[in-house]
Amino acid sequence: MNDTKILLSEDEMPRQWYNIQADLPKPLPPVIHPGTGQPIGPDDLAPLFPMGLIMQEVSQERYIDIPEEILEVYKLWRPSPLIRAYRWEKALDTPAKIYYKWEGVSPPGSHKPNTAVAQAYYNKKEGVKRITTETGAGQWGSALSFACNLFDIECKVYMVRISYDQKPYRRIMMETWGAKCVPSPSTETQAGRMILKQDPDSPGSLGIAISEAVEIAAKNADTKYALGSVLNHVLLHQTIVGLEAQAQFKKAGDYPDVVIGCVGGGSNYAGFALPFVRDKIVDKRKTRFIAVEPTACPTMTKGLYRYDFGDTACTTPLIKMYTLGHNFIPAPIHAGGLRYHGMAPILCHLYELGLMKAVAYHQKAVFESAISFARAEGFIPAPETAHAIKATMDEAIRCRESGEKKVIAFNNSGHGHFDLAAYQKYLNNELEDYEYPEEKIKEALAHLPKIDA
Amino acid sequence: MNDTKILLSEDEMPRQWYNIQADLPKPLPPVIHPGTGQPIGPDDLAPLFPMGLIMQEVSQERYIDIPEEILEVYKLWRPSPLIRAYRWEKALDTPAKIYYKWEGVSPPGSHKPNTAVAQAYYNKKEGVKRITTETGAGQWGSALSFACNLFDIECKVYMVRISYDQKPYRRIMMETWGAKCVPSPSTETQAGRMILKQDPDSPGSLGIAISEAVEIAAKNADTKYALGSVLNHVLLHQTIVGLEAQAQFKKAGDYPDVVIGCVGGGSNYAGFALPFVRDKIVDKRKTRFIAVEPTACPTMTKGLYRYDFGDTACTTPLIKMYTLGHNFIPAPIHAGGLRYHGMAPILCHLYELGLMKAVAYHQKAVFESAISFARAEGFIPAPETAHAIKATMDEAIRCRESGEKKVIAFNNSGHGHFDLAAYQKYLNNELEDYEYPEEKIKEALAHLPKIDA
């Protein structure tokens, strides 16, 4: 039997991120200023982000050097292993080869620190003293806390109140790394106070938390804001995942026929997939790409490709993306990271160009596949990641039926150690499936901003 | 800068466990039958353990082959990395080199599966259908659940009721891997029913849970019992940790001056240390060995080296070990895995021979060092492991004062993802320190069995 884990040494770790903007068959649509209707420029973003990240957001350079200081932090857990799922293949009785990139080995337990560390570094370099952000279930907030601590930057996380109260573990993780975590809506911001005035018991939402974090950053010269997905520079930083995977596939003597990942804002899948998308565009590889989303938040499978706001309060620039409308209210599924109304513009663009497919699954089927995986491979995945696992399982079963020996690869983006309550509900048959109603989608999409560039 | 992580390929993984019994300057004292006062033989243990493990318990062979089926499972996460703690060295401003072996990468998140997988394999080989065990906080129970699932053996875990109710996550982990987890005392056993009759609201104890698990195994021909620490065969399986570390130190061009680990039953520290103890005995290396225990359970630092029972209910054979007395009732410290009244006979023997030292720390100082480590290195350690971290920190600070460039190595035996409530208490200044009172120790030790071989 060949190796179970395909490892890279630290010397073999990629020294550059890959920027797909250099290889796109058509350029990305511009980001639009909601006031002027004109494309925004770097200066419009300067109150929120350091210039180093803004320049990456719009860069057309194919490869961007990873600074030494970031590489040194990555080495705490990177290169992450690419694992051949021999046991799961056997359990599924499939002739397919299944590989997964295992990002759960990072200290916060997901792919999120790949960009959190980079963002903290560029902020530090420009003298930023404090970074604000929002977090739902806490994956992103904990990753940014970890990263800010290493670069000696204050970190303030506005955490959706209902998660703050119900899911204390990720919050304690943030505090262990020295961050301040505040339940949102808070009394610290105008946005928060306004919500609390209307509803003192507001459970909060990601939209509100974004508004709070952005408000503090916009008002304080020494404070910037950080986002954990969607934006081009976030996806850029995540390409370390796919670049490593390419080197690992080369070592294994294989190349994936199908590349799979779950999508919420899109960063873990993009990070894994984009280097392989390059091969499809440039080298005419025939790889299939499958983005997997929940039926309860079917952004790509049921949404429209239109200009929309990134947040509920309509404070962000307008981004062309698949969207369910910025007023979208997600059902309480356990994959908290996949409940975003929009999607990374780069992924939407590739989807629109026909370079990528999308599928949606119900959460019960998703947990069923997660248990199948965990019982074969040991590692218990996050509910978000389990969406990728479900799609992989379906591909593997199709191969069993057709006899095809396809190479299937998915990004195992994080562990489920803080999601075990959801596993318990699945095991107790207490989970519900949610389908987002067609009429609600139509209604939300009827209220999209009237802009089309 | 050199590599942060010293990695081994799967080809470089040790193919044999190391059995220190072959190299001890004096043989281990025999295990005694409490009825006859005579040394027990393999047949006495046969109702509880498969013969493959019993023969390992008494083996004098220096190296024992690891079966291929076990190696294949180990490869899911082994060889585990040896990590140079560059950032923590810098934070501590020490000239010492600090290395840690990182066992938190396993699916259950600790070193425990190293023996759980081996025990499941040998049971399966002898046709065992079901394994029973006890668990406190759940580290061992989850590791055995993981292992039994892979070898298609039923697993039943008696979990101390207060932990079952208060710490559901490890229990859900066991259930995710298909095990049955029962709160102890239960109505399923005579032992459990007897306790419940006296106290229907009994919170349970490890001693009671052991009695339940042993009773079921003793009564059913197709059922065996498994123990997660203390015994010789358990320590044997854990030596994969130290053997890997030796190969990794060779790659790094270093050799540890000090080898540190936390001790409850002793298995993680023994697994890490014993191959280095061999070098001290056979090659006359001058390495120092430090076993670290909580002040609240000072087995080696305050106990006596005497024959005692392994459990509270006095159902086990008599083992010569350092003990606080089998009636010892531990204070509610958060390092649940370090609250055992006894200690692995092999470690006690080495301690008695002067080959090993022991120190005890209070939990507040232990959590302080865990936070220092987590903020520098990222990974949040289990409270048990944090005891080793505290001793390492003290050594590193001594080196700062003396200017010595010592090489310090400790076993980072597991992550603290399910212990964050304890971190919160520390951060909120709500933790208490406990010193086990001298008079209680004297009293307990006055009631030891009157046997001395």
Side-chain angles (χ1 to χ4, degrees), chain B residues 382-423:
Chain B
E384 291 83 356
T385 311
H387 286 74
I389 290 175
K390 169 63 179 159
T392 302
M393 190 162 130
D394 280 4
E395 281 288 322
I397 289 170
R398 273 193 288 277
C399 286
R400 175 173 75 207
E401 287 156 5
S402 67
E404 287 173 289
K405 293 181 182 173
K406 279 187 196 160
V407 177
I408 310 171
F410 75 91
N411 193 12
N412 193 340
S413 56
H415 64 62
H417 296 172
F418 301 109
D419 305 286
L420 286 168
Y423 277 86

Side-chain angles (χ1 to χ4, degrees), chain A residues 219-235:
Chain A
K219 277 190 183 160
N220 295 279
D222 62 353
T223 304
K224 299 282 181 194
Y225 167 72
L227 198 66
S229 191
V230 179
L231 300 182
N232 301 339
H233 69 270
V234 178
L235 273 56

Side-chain angles (χ1 to χ4, degrees), chain B residues 199-217:
Chain B
D199 177 7
D201 298 322
S202 165
S205 75
L206 211 50
I208 297 166
I210 294 178
S211 303
E212 293 206 271
V214 165
E215 182 184 322
I216 295 289

Side-chain angles (χ1 to χ4, degrees), chain B residues 343-417:
Chain B
M343 184 62 64
I346 285 176
L347 288 189
C348 295
H349 189 64
L350 294 172
Y351 185 54
E352 188 68 9
L353 292 173
L355 289 161
M356 190 166 277
K357 287 194 156 52
V359 294
Y361 288 107
H362 279 297
Q363 71 175 351
K364 280 197 264 188
V366 161
F367 274 94
E368 184 190 16
S369 70
I371 298 240
S372 162
F373 177 82
R375 290 193 178 168
E377 296 291 312
F379 300 106
I380 298 175
E384 291 83 356
T385 311
H387 286 74
I389 290 175
K390 169 63 179 159
T392 302
M393 190 162 130
D394 280 4
E395 281 288 322
I397 289 170
R398 273 193 288 277
C399 286
R400 175 173 75 207
E401 287 156 5
S402 67
E404 287 173 289
K405 293 181 182 173
K406 279 187 196 160
V407 177
I408 310 171
F410 75 91
N411 193 12
N412 193 340
S413 56
H415 64 62
H417 296 172

Side-chain angles (χ1 to χ4, degrees), chain B residues 257-272:
Chain B
D257 297 304
V258 194
V259 173
I260 295 172
C262 65
V263 287
S267 76
N268 98 72
Y269 182 51
F272 185 51

Side-chain angles (χ1 to χ4, degrees), chain B residues 245-259:
Chain B
Q246 286 187 318
Q248 288 163 315
F249 271 111
K250 205 167 171 185
K251 277 200 178 184
D254 264 328
Y255 190 93
D257 297 304
V258 194
V259 173

